[in-house]
Amino acid sequence: AQKITQTQPGMFVQEKEAVTLDCTYDTSDQSYGLFWYKQPSSGEMIFLIYQGSYDEQNATEGRYSLNFQKARKSANLVISASQLGDSAMYFCAMREEQGGSEKLVFGKGTKLTVNP
Amino acid sequence: GAVVSQHPSRVICKSGTSVKIECRSLDFQATTMFWYRQFPKQSLMLMATSNEGSKATYEQGVEKDKFLINHASLTLSTLTVTSAHPEDSSFYICSASFLRRGFNEQFFGPGTRLTVL
């Protein structure tokens, strides 16, 4: 079963508008963490934002905020005031412990296109 | 801080040859290094996890003899694709981790695009 689900293969948004990218996760651990990464066409993975399972407040980093709803097991990324440079693939990932080591499990990603 | 480099960024090789990819943590000592593979329009798939001085732990379905990992120091790990074939063509990304925010946070390299002719 998928541990990270991103249901939107592609999303379009007008420049300067806000957009929400969906992510739901599945875990039985009490302690876990959720990440969002941006991957432009160059391929590098750019860290955007992190939310720990015990963090009481939603994480924010500049124009990025994470809408964390623990009971629903969702961790949606909100990008405010979209810019053309935001066009990229976006991956949601969860930190989990397996066999004594910590690993990241990635969703399938959402391709965001920002239109002028 | 927390910069990870990979070399080369791109490599094209003939079928049957071996290719070595280096991953270095430039400004920190990594507790663990990870190797991922990404096919076009797909997500990152973890191939293996390695700790300095010990054998790598491979994910299910990843051939150990095909993808040799050497973690020589706390700042260097190498992935060698042996006897490469066209189906090995992919984007390979490494990450290095150290303890931060109460867990071993991973920092990613820029990736290596391998094309096997």
Side-chain angles (χ1 to χ4, degrees), chain B residues 11-47:
Chain B
V11 57
I12 300 173
C13 69
K14 291 183 179 179
S15 188
T17 60
S18 294
V19 174
K20 181 185 282 189
I21 303 169
E22 287 189 354
C23 177
R24 292 181 186 270
S25 55
L26 298 184
D27 51 2
F28 65 96
Q29 292 188 327
T31 49
T32 306
M33 288 186 166
F34 303 81
W35 287 95
Y36 295 84
R37 183 174 183 176
Q38 186 180 29
F39 289 109
K41 303 191 179 187
Q42 292 190 24
S43 188
L44 277 72
M45 296 299 296
L46 180 65
M47 299 174 67

PDB file of all heavy atoms in Angstrom, chain B residues 11-47:
ATOM      1  N   VAL B  11      26.858  11.524 -17.537  1.00  0.00           N
ATOM      2  CA  VAL B  11      27.810  10.581 -18.111  1.00  0.00           C
ATOM      3  C   VAL B  11      27.103   9.752 -19.167  1.00  0.00           C
ATOM      4  O   VAL B  11      25.962   9.314 -18.971  1.00  0.00           O
ATOM      5  CB  VAL B  11      28.459   9.695 -17.018  1.00  0.00           C
ATOM      6  CG1 VAL B  11      27.420   8.945 -16.204  1.00  0.00           C
ATOM      7  CG2 VAL B  11      29.482   8.755 -17.600  1.00  0.00           C
ATOM      8  N   ILE B  12      27.811   9.575 -20.268  1.00  0.00           N
ATOM      9  CA  ILE B  12      27.335   8.721 -21.345  1.00  0.00           C
ATOM     10  C   ILE B  12      28.366   7.622 -21.523  1.00  0.00           C
ATOM     11  O   ILE B  12      29.563   7.907 -21.634  1.00  0.00           O
ATOM     12  CB  ILE B  12      27.163   9.507 -22.665  1.00  0.00           C
ATOM     13  CG1 ILE B  12      26.155  10.645 -22.475  1.00  0.00           C
ATOM     14  CG2 ILE B  12      26.721   8.577 -23.791  1.00  0.00           C
ATOM     15  CD1 ILE B  12      26.049  11.587 -23.670  1.00  0.00           C
ATOM     16  N   CYS B  13      27.933   6.384 -21.536  1.00  0.00           N
ATOM     17  CA  CYS B  13      28.891   5.294 -21.653  1.00  0.00           C
ATOM     18  C   CYS B  13      28.330   4.223 -22.582  1.00  0.00           C
ATOM     19  O   CYS B  13      27.138   4.197 -22.894  1.00  0.00           O
ATOM     20  CB  CYS B  13      29.217   4.699 -20.285  1.00  0.00           C
ATOM     21  SG  CYS B  13      27.854   3.795 -19.544  1.00  0.00           S
ATOM     22  N   LYS B  14      29.239   3.352 -23.007  1.00  0.00           N
ATOM     23  CA  LYS B  14      28.829   2.253 -23.877  1.00  0.00           C
ATOM     24  C   LYS B  14      28.342   1.078 -23.037  1.00  0.00           C
ATOM     25  O   LYS B  14      28.803   0.876 -21.900  1.00  0.00           O
ATOM     26  CB  LYS B  14      30.002   1.814 -24.752  1.00  0.00           C
ATOM     27  CG  LYS B  14      30.409   2.836 -25.798  1.00  0.00           C
ATOM     28  CD  LYS B  14      31.539   2.287 -26.661  1.00  0.00           C
ATOM     29  CE  LYS B  14      31.929   3.293 -27.731  1.00  0.00           C
ATOM     30  NZ  LYS B  14      33.046   2.787 -28.568  1.00  0.00           N
ATOM     31  N   SER B  15      27.466   0.311 -23.607  1.00  0.00           N
ATOM     32  CA  SER B  15      26.952  -0.871 -22.923  1.00  0.00           C
ATOM     33  C   SER B  15      28.104  -1.806 -22.563  1.00  0.00           C
ATOM     34  O   SER B  15      29.023  -2.027 -23.362  1.00  0.00           O
ATOM     35  CB  SER B  15      25.970  -1.584 -23.854  1.00  0.00           C
ATOM     36  OG  SER B  15      25.315  -2.624 -23.188  1.00  0.00           O
ATOM     37  N   GLY B  16      28.088  -2.318 -21.340  1.00  0.00           N
ATOM     38  CA  GLY B  16      29.122  -3.237 -20.900  1.00  0.00           C
ATOM     39  C   GLY B  16      30.216  -2.605 -20.063  1.00  0.00           C
ATOM     40  O   GLY B  16      31.000  -3.309 -19.412  1.00  0.00           O
ATOM     41  N   THR B  17      30.286  -1.286 -20.073  1.00  0.00           N
ATOM     42  CA  THR B  17      31.312  -0.610 -19.279  1.00  0.00           C
ATOM     43  C   THR B  17      30.781  -0.314 -17.885  1.00  0.00           C
ATOM     44  O   THR B  17      29.581  -0.424 -17.617  1.00  0.00           O
ATOM     45  CB  THR B  17      31.768   0.702 -19.927  1.00  0.00           C
ATOM     46  OG1 THR B  17      30.624   1.579 -20.053  1.00  0.00           O
ATOM     47  CG2 THR B  17      32.336   0.449 -21.314  1.00  0.00           C
ATOM     48  N   SER B  18      31.685   0.046 -16.973  1.00  0.00           N
ATOM     49  CA  SER B  18      31.303   0.390 -15.604  1.00  0.00           C
ATOM     50  C   SER B  18      31.429   1.892 -15.399  1.00  0.00           C
ATOM     51  O   SER B  18      32.313   2.528 -15.974  1.00  0.00           O
ATOM     52  CB  SER B  18      32.189  -0.354 -14.596  1.00  0.00           C
ATOM     53  OG  SER B  18      31.950  -1.742 -14.666  1.00  0.00           O
ATOM     54  N   VAL B  19      30.571   2.414 -14.594  1.00  0.00           N
ATOM     55  CA  VAL B  19      30.555   3.853 -14.334  1.00  0.00           C
ATOM     56  C   VAL B  19      30.552   4.096 -12.831  1.00  0.00           C
ATOM     57  O   VAL B  19      29.770   3.463 -12.103  1.00  0.00           O
ATOM     58  CB  VAL B  19      29.281   4.496 -14.946  1.00  0.00           C
ATOM     59  CG1 VAL B  19      29.169   5.958 -14.562  1.00  0.00           C
ATOM     60  CG2 VAL B  19      29.290   4.330 -16.460  1.00  0.00           C
ATOM     61  N   LYS B  20      31.407   5.007 -12.387  1.00  0.00           N
ATOM     62  CA  LYS B  20      31.468   5.337 -10.961  1.00  0.00           C
ATOM     63  C   LYS B  20      30.923   6.740 -10.735  1.00  0.00           C
ATOM     64  O   LYS B  20      31.305   7.680 -11.434  1.00  0.00           O
ATOM     65  CB  LYS B  20      32.900   5.259 -10.446  1.00  0.00           C
ATOM     66  CG  LYS B  20      33.026   5.565  -8.944  1.00  0.00           C
ATOM     67  CD  LYS B  20      34.461   5.605  -8.475  1.00  0.00           C
ATOM     68  CE  LYS B  20      35.032   4.242  -8.300  1.00  0.00           C
ATOM     69  NZ  LYS B  20      36.366   4.259  -7.647  1.00  0.00           N
ATOM     70  N   ILE B  21      30.050   6.862  -9.743  1.00  0.00           N
ATOM     71  CA  ILE B  21      29.475   8.158  -9.377  1.00  0.00           C
ATOM     72  C   ILE B  21      29.896   8.460  -7.941  1.00  0.00           C
ATOM     73  O   ILE B  21      29.758   7.609  -7.060  1.00  0.00           O
ATOM     74  CB  ILE B  21      27.936   8.138  -9.479  1.00  0.00           C
ATOM     75  CG1 ILE B  21      27.496   7.750 -10.894  1.00  0.00           C
ATOM     76  CG2 ILE B  21      27.358   9.502  -9.089  1.00  0.00           C
ATOM     77  CD1 ILE B  21      26.008   7.458 -11.007  1.00  0.00           C
ATOM     78  N   GLU B  22      30.395   9.669  -7.721  1.00  0.00           N
ATOM     79  CA  GLU B  22      30.841  10.073  -6.380  1.00  0.00           C
ATOM     80  C   GLU B  22      29.826  10.994  -5.729  1.00  0.00           C
ATOM     81  O   GLU B  22      29.233  11.855  -6.375  1.00  0.00           O
ATOM     82  CB  GLU B  22      32.175  10.816  -6.461  1.00  0.00           C
ATOM     83  CG  GLU B  22      33.365   9.949  -6.760  1.00  0.00           C
ATOM     84  CD  GLU B  22      34.668  10.710  -6.598  1.00  0.00           C
ATOM     85  OE1 GLU B  22      34.620  11.945  -6.364  1.00  0.00           O
ATOM     86  OE2 GLU B  22      35.725  10.085  -6.711  1.00  0.00           O
ATOM     87  N   CYS B  23      29.670  10.826  -4.434  1.00  0.00           N
ATOM     88  CA  CYS B  23      28.796  11.679  -3.636  1.00  0.00           C
ATOM     89  C   CYS B  23      29.603  12.169  -2.434  1.00  0.00           C
ATOM     90  O   CYS B  23      30.145  11.348  -1.681  1.00  0.00           O
ATOM     91  CB  CYS B  23      27.577  10.879  -3.173  1.00  0.00           C
ATOM     92  SG  CYS B  23      26.441  11.769  -2.095  1.00  0.00           S
ATOM     93  N   ARG B  24      29.696  13.482  -2.269  1.00  0.00           N
ATOM     94  CA  ARG B  24      30.480  14.051  -1.178  1.00  0.00           C
ATOM     95  C   ARG B  24      29.667  15.047  -0.372  1.00  0.00           C
ATOM     96  O   ARG B  24      28.944  15.875  -0.934  1.00  0.00           O
ATOM     97  CB  ARG B  24      31.707  14.801  -1.715  1.00  0.00           C
ATOM     98  CG  ARG B  24      32.761  13.937  -2.349  1.00  0.00           C
ATOM     99  CD  ARG B  24      33.945  14.764  -2.821  1.00  0.00           C
ATOM    100  NE  ARG B  24      34.900  13.943  -3.562  1.00  0.00           N
ATOM    101  CZ  ARG B  24      35.919  13.299  -2.992  1.00  0.00           C
ATOM    102  NH1 ARG B  24      36.109  13.408  -1.696  1.00  0.00           N
ATOM    103  NH2 ARG B  24      36.733  12.573  -3.722  1.00  0.00           N
ATOM    104  N   SER B  25      29.785  14.951   0.940  1.00  0.00           N
ATOM    105  CA  SER B  25      29.245  15.998   1.793  1.00  0.00           C
ATOM    106  C   SER B  25      30.381  16.996   2.012  1.00  0.00           C
ATOM    107  O   SER B  25      31.453  16.625   2.483  1.00  0.00           O
ATOM    108  CB  SER B  25      28.744  15.429   3.122  1.00  0.00           C
ATOM    109  OG  SER B  25      29.758  14.707   3.784  1.00  0.00           O
ATOM    110  N   LEU B  26      30.154  18.249   1.628  1.00  0.00           N
ATOM    111  CA  LEU B  26      31.245  19.213   1.563  1.00  0.00           C
ATOM    112  C   LEU B  26      31.524  19.921   2.885  1.00  0.00           C
ATOM    113  O   LEU B  26      32.658  20.322   3.146  1.00  0.00           O
ATOM    114  CB  LEU B  26      30.952  20.255   0.483  1.00  0.00           C
ATOM    115  CG  LEU B  26      30.825  19.711  -0.940  1.00  0.00           C
ATOM    116  CD1 LEU B  26      30.637  20.849  -1.941  1.00  0.00           C
ATOM    117  CD2 LEU B  26      32.027  18.864  -1.314  1.00  0.00           C
ATOM    118  N   ASP B  27      30.504  20.119   3.689  1.00  0.00           N
ATOM    119  CA  ASP B  27      30.721  20.917   4.902  1.00  0.00           C
ATOM    120  C   ASP B  27      30.179  20.243   6.144  1.00  0.00           C
ATOM    121  O   ASP B  27      29.941  20.898   7.160  1.00  0.00           O
ATOM    122  CB  ASP B  27      30.116  22.315   4.735  1.00  0.00           C
ATOM    123  CG  ASP B  27      28.670  22.270   4.275  1.00  0.00           C
ATOM    124  OD1 ASP B  27      28.130  21.157   4.130  1.00  0.00           O
ATOM    125  OD2 ASP B  27      28.086  23.342   4.052  1.00  0.00           O
ATOM    126  N   PHE B  28      30.010  18.930   6.088  1.00  0.00           N
ATOM    127  CA  PHE B  28      29.593  18.205   7.279  1.00  0.00           C
ATOM    128  C   PHE B  28      29.991  16.742   7.130  1.00  0.00           C
ATOM    129  O   PHE B  28      30.270  16.260   6.026  1.00  0.00           O
ATOM    130  CB  PHE B  28      28.075  18.325   7.510  1.00  0.00           C
ATOM    131  CG  PHE B  28      27.221  17.677   6.448  1.00  0.00           C
ATOM    132  CD1 PHE B  28      26.718  16.389   6.620  1.00  0.00           C
ATOM    133  CD2 PHE B  28      26.911  18.360   5.285  1.00  0.00           C
ATOM    134  CE1 PHE B  28      25.925  15.801   5.644  1.00  0.00           C
ATOM    135  CE2 PHE B  28      26.117  17.780   4.302  1.00  0.00           C
ATOM    136  CZ  PHE B  28      25.627  16.483   4.481  1.00  0.00           C
ATOM    137  N   GLN B  29      30.031  16.061   8.254  1.00  0.00           N
ATOM    138  CA  GLN B  29      30.291  14.630   8.238  1.00  0.00           C
ATOM    139  C   GLN B  29      28.958  13.897   8.290  1.00  0.00           C
ATOM    140  O   GLN B  29      28.125  14.161   9.165  1.00  0.00           O
ATOM    141  CB  GLN B  29      31.174  14.241   9.431  1.00  0.00           C
ATOM    142  CG  GLN B  29      32.588  14.795   9.309  1.00  0.00           C
ATOM    143  CD  GLN B  29      33.514  14.257  10.387  1.00  0.00           C
ATOM    144  OE1 GLN B  29      33.070  14.004  11.511  1.00  0.00           O
ATOM    145  NE2 GLN B  29      34.776  14.083  10.064  1.00  0.00           N
ATOM    146  N   ALA B  30      28.764  13.005   7.346  1.00  0.00           N
ATOM    147  CA  ALA B  30      27.468  12.343   7.211  1.00  0.00           C
ATOM    148  C   ALA B  30      27.431  11.045   8.001  1.00  0.00           C
ATOM    149  O   ALA B  30      28.339  10.225   7.897  1.00  0.00           O
ATOM    150  CB  ALA B  30      27.184  12.059   5.736  1.00  0.00           C
ATOM    151  N   THR B  31      26.374  10.863   8.762  1.00  0.00           N
ATOM    152  CA  THR B  31      26.217   9.599   9.477  1.00  0.00           C
ATOM    153  C   THR B  31      25.840   8.492   8.500  1.00  0.00           C
ATOM    154  O   THR B  31      26.289   7.362   8.610  1.00  0.00           O
ATOM    155  CB  THR B  31      25.119   9.722  10.550  1.00  0.00           C
ATOM    156  OG1 THR B  31      23.953  10.303   9.950  1.00  0.00           O
ATOM    157  CG2 THR B  31      25.565  10.608  11.696  1.00  0.00           C
ATOM    158  N   THR B  32      25.037   8.833   7.543  1.00  0.00           N
ATOM    159  CA  THR B  32      24.548   7.864   6.565  1.00  0.00           C
ATOM    160  C   THR B  32      24.430   8.526   5.205  1.00  0.00           C
ATOM    161  O   THR B  32      24.140   9.723   5.120  1.00  0.00           O
ATOM    162  CB  THR B  32      23.153   7.332   6.986  1.00  0.00           C
ATOM    163  OG1 THR B  32      23.225   6.830   8.317  1.00  0.00           O
ATOM    164  CG2 THR B  32      22.681   6.218   6.062  1.00  0.00           C
ATOM    165  N   MET B  33      24.679   7.744   4.176  1.00  0.00           N
ATOM    166  CA  MET B  33      24.451   8.231   2.815  1.00  0.00           C
ATOM    167  C   MET B  33      23.464   7.306   2.119  1.00  0.00           C
ATOM    168  O   MET B  33      23.416   6.108   2.408  1.00  0.00           O
ATOM    169  CB  MET B  33      25.752   8.325   2.031  1.00  0.00           C
ATOM    170  CG  MET B  33      26.627   9.488   2.498  1.00  0.00           C
ATOM    171  SD  MET B  33      28.061   9.710   1.458  1.00  0.00           S
ATOM    172  CE  MET B  33      28.615  11.323   1.968  1.00  0.00           C
ATOM    173  N   PHE B  34      22.681   7.885   1.223  1.00  0.00           N
ATOM    174  CA  PHE B  34      21.624   7.163   0.539  1.00  0.00           C
ATOM    175  C   PHE B  34      21.783   7.331  -0.972  1.00  0.00           C
ATOM    176  O   PHE B  34      22.186   8.401  -1.438  1.00  0.00           O
ATOM    177  CB  PHE B  34      20.245   7.718   0.943  1.00  0.00           C
ATOM    178  CG  PHE B  34      19.961   7.688   2.420  1.00  0.00           C
ATOM    179  CD1 PHE B  34      20.459   8.682   3.254  1.00  0.00           C
ATOM    180  CD2 PHE B  34      19.192   6.682   2.976  1.00  0.00           C
ATOM    181  CE1 PHE B  34      20.205   8.673   4.621  1.00  0.00           C
ATOM    182  CE2 PHE B  34      18.919   6.666   4.337  1.00  0.00           C
ATOM    183  CZ  PHE B  34      19.424   7.657   5.157  1.00  0.00           C
ATOM    184  N   TRP B  35      21.417   6.291  -1.695  1.00  0.00           N
ATOM    185  CA  TRP B  35      21.414   6.367  -3.161  1.00  0.00           C
ATOM    186  C   TRP B  35      20.002   6.102  -3.675  1.00  0.00           C
ATOM    187  O   TRP B  35      19.373   5.108  -3.297  1.00  0.00           O
ATOM    188  CB  TRP B  35      22.395   5.361  -3.758  1.00  0.00           C
ATOM    189  CG  TRP B  35      23.817   5.774  -3.561  1.00  0.00           C
ATOM    190  CD1 TRP B  35      24.664   5.390  -2.560  1.00  0.00           C
ATOM    191  CD2 TRP B  35      24.553   6.675  -4.379  1.00  0.00           C
ATOM    192  NE1 TRP B  35      25.885   5.995  -2.706  1.00  0.00           N
ATOM    193  CE2 TRP B  35      25.842   6.790  -3.822  1.00  0.00           C
ATOM    194  CE3 TRP B  35      24.258   7.394  -5.540  1.00  0.00           C
ATOM    195  CZ2 TRP B  35      26.840   7.591  -4.383  1.00  0.00           C
ATOM    196  CZ3 TRP B  35      25.246   8.197  -6.093  1.00  0.00           C
ATOM    197  CH2 TRP B  35      26.521   8.289  -5.519  1.00  0.00           C
ATOM    198  N   TYR B  36      19.548   6.999  -4.538  1.00  0.00           N
ATOM    199  CA  TYR B  36      18.223   6.906  -5.137  1.00  0.00           C
ATOM    200  C   TYR B  36      18.361   6.818  -6.647  1.00  0.00           C
ATOM    201  O   TYR B  36      19.328   7.292  -7.230  1.00  0.00           O
ATOM    202  CB  TYR B  36      17.378   8.148  -4.806  1.00  0.00           C
ATOM    203  CG  TYR B  36      17.046   8.344  -3.346  1.00  0.00           C
ATOM    204  CD1 TYR B  36      17.948   8.982  -2.484  1.00  0.00           C
ATOM    205  CD2 TYR B  36      15.832   7.921  -2.824  1.00  0.00           C
ATOM    206  CE1 TYR B  36      17.627   9.182  -1.147  1.00  0.00           C
ATOM    207  CE2 TYR B  36      15.505   8.125  -1.491  1.00  0.00           C
ATOM    208  CZ  TYR B  36      16.411   8.756  -0.663  1.00  0.00           C
ATOM    209  OH  TYR B  36      16.102   8.953   0.657  1.00  0.00           O
ATOM    210  N   ARG B  37      17.300   6.286  -7.244  1.00  0.00           N
ATOM    211  CA  ARG B  37      17.223   6.216  -8.692  1.00  0.00           C
ATOM    212  C   ARG B  37      15.877   6.812  -9.099  1.00  0.00           C
ATOM    213  O   ARG B  37      14.864   6.580  -8.419  1.00  0.00           O
ATOM    214  CB  ARG B  37      17.302   4.759  -9.107  1.00  0.00           C
ATOM    215  CG  ARG B  37      17.313   4.485 -10.570  1.00  0.00           C
ATOM    216  CD  ARG B  37      17.537   2.998 -10.771  1.00  0.00           C
ATOM    217  NE  ARG B  37      17.631   2.680 -12.181  1.00  0.00           N
ATOM    218  CZ  ARG B  37      17.894   1.479 -12.658  1.00  0.00           C
ATOM    219  NH1 ARG B  37      18.085   0.473 -11.819  1.00  0.00           N
ATOM    220  NH2 ARG B  37      17.959   1.270 -13.954  1.00  0.00           N
ATOM    221  N   GLN B  38      15.892   7.577 -10.184  1.00  0.00           N
ATOM    222  CA  GLN B  38      14.667   8.201 -10.639  1.00  0.00           C
ATOM    223  C   GLN B  38      14.546   8.052 -12.150  1.00  0.00           C
ATOM    224  O   GLN B  38      15.373   8.581 -12.900  1.00  0.00           O
ATOM    225  CB  GLN B  38      14.634   9.685 -10.256  1.00  0.00           C
ATOM    226  CG  GLN B  38      13.322  10.367 -10.583  1.00  0.00           C
ATOM    227  CD  GLN B  38      13.312  11.837 -10.199  1.00  0.00           C
ATOM    228  OE1 GLN B  38      14.349  12.499 -10.191  1.00  0.00           O
ATOM    229  NE2 GLN B  38      12.143  12.368  -9.875  1.00  0.00           N
ATOM    230  N   PHE B  39      13.516   7.326 -12.580  1.00  0.00           N
ATOM    231  CA  PHE B  39      13.233   7.221 -14.006  1.00  0.00           C
ATOM    232  C   PHE B  39      12.402   8.434 -14.428  1.00  0.00           C
ATOM    233  O   PHE B  39      11.756   9.071 -13.591  1.00  0.00           O
ATOM    234  CB  PHE B  39      12.494   5.914 -14.309  1.00  0.00           C
ATOM    235  CG  PHE B  39      13.361   4.706 -14.169  1.00  0.00           C
ATOM    236  CD1 PHE B  39      13.179   3.820 -13.117  1.00  0.00           C
ATOM    237  CD2 PHE B  39      14.373   4.446 -15.079  1.00  0.00           C
ATOM    238  CE1 PHE B  39      13.987   2.696 -12.976  1.00  0.00           C
ATOM    239  CE2 PHE B  39      15.185   3.329 -14.948  1.00  0.00           C
ATOM    240  CZ  PHE B  39      14.999   2.456 -13.893  1.00  0.00           C
ATOM    241  N   PRO B  40      12.421   8.732 -15.742  1.00  0.00           N
ATOM    242  CA  PRO B  40      11.699   9.920 -16.221  1.00  0.00           C
ATOM    243  C   PRO B  40      10.248   9.933 -15.773  1.00  0.00           C
ATOM    244  O   PRO B  40       9.554   8.915 -15.863  1.00  0.00           O
ATOM    245  CB  PRO B  40      11.818   9.818 -17.740  1.00  0.00           C
ATOM    246  CG  PRO B  40      13.075   9.046 -17.966  1.00  0.00           C
ATOM    247  CD  PRO B  40      13.146   8.062 -16.831  1.00  0.00           C
ATOM    248  N   LYS B  41       9.830  11.073 -15.262  1.00  0.00           N
ATOM    249  CA  LYS B  41       8.447  11.296 -14.844  1.00  0.00           C
ATOM    250  C   LYS B  41       8.011  10.370 -13.724  1.00  0.00           C
ATOM    251  O   LYS B  41       6.814  10.133 -13.555  1.00  0.00           O
ATOM    252  CB  LYS B  41       7.490  11.193 -16.036  1.00  0.00           C
ATOM    253  CG  LYS B  41       7.835  12.167 -17.148  1.00  0.00           C
ATOM    254  CD  LYS B  41       6.763  12.262 -18.193  1.00  0.00           C
ATOM    255  CE  LYS B  41       7.192  13.294 -19.243  1.00  0.00           C
ATOM    256  NZ  LYS B  41       6.184  13.579 -20.212  1.00  0.00           N
ATOM    257  N   GLN B  42       8.968   9.869 -12.969  1.00  0.00           N
ATOM    258  CA  GLN B  42       8.624   9.034 -11.826  1.00  0.00           C
ATOM    259  C   GLN B  42       9.250   9.609 -10.568  1.00  0.00           C
ATOM    260  O   GLN B  42       9.978  10.597 -10.603  1.00  0.00           O
ATOM    261  CB  GLN B  42       9.096   7.599 -12.060  1.00  0.00           C
ATOM    262  CG  GLN B  42       8.343   6.892 -13.170  1.00  0.00           C
ATOM    263  CD  GLN B  42       8.657   5.415 -13.222  1.00  0.00           C
ATOM    264  OE1 GLN B  42       9.064   4.808 -12.234  1.00  0.00           O
ATOM    265  NE2 GLN B  42       8.454   4.820 -14.386  1.00  0.00           N
ATOM    266  N   SER B  43       8.938   8.963  -9.457  1.00  0.00           N
ATOM    267  CA  SER B  43       9.433   9.444  -8.179  1.00  0.00           C
ATOM    268  C   SER B  43      10.807   8.866  -7.874  1.00  0.00           C
ATOM    269  O   SER B  43      11.330   8.043  -8.622  1.00  0.00           O
ATOM    270  CB  SER B  43       8.444   9.048  -7.083  1.00  0.00           C
ATOM    271  OG  SER B  43       8.801   9.659  -5.871  1.00  0.00           O
ATOM    272  N   LEU B  44      11.378   9.295  -6.774  1.00  0.00           N
ATOM    273  CA  LEU B  44      12.660   8.758  -6.325  1.00  0.00           C
ATOM    274  C   LEU B  44      12.428   7.410  -5.657  1.00  0.00           C
ATOM    275  O   LEU B  44      11.534   7.272  -4.817  1.00  0.00           O
ATOM    276  CB  LEU B  44      13.327   9.694  -5.308  1.00  0.00           C
ATOM    277  CG  LEU B  44      14.109  10.869  -5.840  1.00  0.00           C
ATOM    278  CD1 LEU B  44      13.202  11.926  -6.417  1.00  0.00           C
ATOM    279  CD2 LEU B  44      14.989  11.466  -4.750  1.00  0.00           C
ATOM    280  N   MET B  45      13.264   6.453  -6.024  1.00  0.00           N
ATOM    281  CA  MET B  45      13.203   5.139  -5.387  1.00  0.00           C
ATOM    282  C   MET B  45      14.527   4.883  -4.686  1.00  0.00           C
ATOM    283  O   MET B  45      15.588   4.963  -5.305  1.00  0.00           O
ATOM    284  CB  MET B  45      12.959   4.056  -6.445  1.00  0.00           C
ATOM    285  CG  MET B  45      11.624   4.174  -7.153  1.00  0.00           C
ATOM    286  SD  MET B  45      10.213   4.033  -6.029  1.00  0.00           S
ATOM    287  CE  MET B  45      10.432   2.351  -5.453  1.00  0.00           C
ATOM    288  N   LEU B  46      14.458   4.574  -3.417  1.00  0.00           N
ATOM    289  CA  LEU B  46      15.669   4.294  -2.653  1.00  0.00           C
ATOM    290  C   LEU B  46      16.285   2.991  -3.139  1.00  0.00           C
ATOM    291  O   LEU B  46      15.607   1.974  -3.251  1.00  0.00           O
ATOM    292  CB  LEU B  46      15.344   4.203  -1.163  1.00  0.00           C
ATOM    293  CG  LEU B  46      16.510   3.920  -0.228  1.00  0.00           C
ATOM    294  CD1 LEU B  46      17.505   5.079  -0.246  1.00  0.00           C
ATOM    295  CD2 LEU B  46      16.006   3.679   1.199  1.00  0.00           C
ATOM    296  N   MET B  47      17.600   3.059  -3.429  1.00  0.00           N
ATOM    297  CA  MET B  47      18.321   1.866  -3.851  1.00  0.00           C
ATOM    298  C   MET B  47      19.039   1.220  -2.665  1.00  0.00           C
ATOM    299  O   MET B  47      18.985   0.010  -2.488  1.00  0.00           O
ATOM    300  CB  MET B  47      19.362   2.215  -4.917  1.00  0.00           C
ATOM    301  CG  MET B  47      18.798   2.800  -6.193  1.00  0.00           C
ATOM    302  SD  MET B  47      20.113   3.326  -7.282  1.00  0.00           S
ATOM    303  CE  MET B  47      20.854   1.764  -7.726  1.00  0.00           C
TER     304      MET B  47
END
